[in-house]
Amino acid sequence: MAWKGPLRTALAVGVAAGVGDVACQAFESRGTDRPWDRNRSIRMIISGGAVSGPVAHGWNVMLERLLPGKSMTQILKKVVANGAFAPVQIVLTFSTLSLLQGHSISHAHEKVKADLPRTWLAGATFWPFVGFLQFRFVPVQHRAIMGSLAGVLWSVYM
C-alpha cells in the first residue's frame, strides 16, 4: 500500500524527534535540578511526526525522481538541492513548534526571522555530510528516517 512508507516515516521521525529532545534536555540540565519537560518532548514528537516526517519523505521521493542515480554528480546535485530546501524545513519546524507552544503566527514569524539564517548556516557544516551518506548508501524510502536519526545528534548540538 502506498501510504505505508509515509506513515512509517512519520512515526519514525516523530519518535526520533522525541528521543532527540529527551537527549537534548538531559544535556541542557546537567548539573541542575531542572526536571524533564514532557510537554516539550511531546511537541517535538508531534512536529516530527505530523510535519517534518511527511515533508522529508515527500521531498526525498521527489528528489530521487528529479535526480535519479548514485553517481557522484547526482549525489552532489542532491546535496546542493537539499541545502536549498533546508530553509523550508527550518521554517516549518520553527513555525510548528511555536504554534504548538501556543504562540501567535506573528511570533512564529519573528522566531523564523531571528533564527533561520544562523540555523541554516550552522546546518551547512553538518547536513551536507549526512546528505552524502544518505544519497550514496540509503534507499530512498529510508532517507528521511536516517535523516531523523542524524537529527538526534543535530538537536543536541543546536
Side-chain angles (χ1 to χ4, degrees), residues 44-68:
M44 291 299 295
I45 291 167
I46 292 169
S47 175
V51 179
S52 298
V55 170
H57 180 86
W59 170 250
N60 279 291
V61 169
M62 183 182 76
L63 194 56
E64 192 59 37
R65 285 183 184 149
L66 294 173
L67 301 168

Side-chain angles (χ1 to χ4, degrees), residues 69-80:
K70 293 186 179 203
S71 71
M72 190 56 70
T73 301
Q74 292 301 89
I75 291 171
L76 291 175
K77 286 178 185 178
K78 291 174 195 176
V79 168
V80 169

Side-chain angles (χ1 to χ4, degrees), residues 17-154:
V19 168
D21 185 66
V22 169
C24 187
Q25 287 191 56
F27 184 75
E28 291 171 350
S29 65
R30 285 182 320 191
T32 72
D33 291 334
R34 187 170 34 166
W36 171 54
D37 184 347
R38 179 177 56 119
N39 291 330
R40 176 178 139 175
S41 295
I42 289 170
R43 287 190 299 271
M44 291 299 295
I45 291 167
I46 292 169
S47 175
V51 179
S52 298
V55 170
H57 180 86
W59 170 250
N60 279 291
V61 169
M62 183 182 76
L63 194 56
E64 192 59 37
R65 285 183 184 149
L66 294 173
L67 301 168
K70 293 186 179 203
S71 71
M72 190 56 70
T73 301
Q74 292 301 89
I75 291 171
L76 291 175
K77 286 178 185 178
K78 291 174 195 176
V79 168
V80 169
N82 247 10
F85 187 71
V88 173
Q89 282 283 55
I90 295 167
V91 166
L92 289 172
T93 299
F94 285 176
S95 298
T96 301
L97 291 172
S98 184
L99 294 172
L100 287 172
Q101 288 175 321
H103 297 297
S104 67
I105 291 174
S106 63
H107 179 273
H109 180 261
E110 290 303 315
K111 166 79 173 155
V112 166
K113 207 163 75 170
D115 294 348
L116 173 63
R118 158 175 72 87
T119 304
W120 190 23
L121 186 60
T125 65
F126 177 74
W127 290 108
F129 175 71
V130 171
F132 174 81
L133 294 176
Q134 285 177 300
F135 299 130
R136 179 69 181 102
F137 300 110
V138 180
V140 67
Q141 68 270 23
H142 300 301
R143 287 180 187 158
I145 296 168
M146 189 259 188
S148 68
L149 295 174
V152 171
L153 297 175
W154 177 250

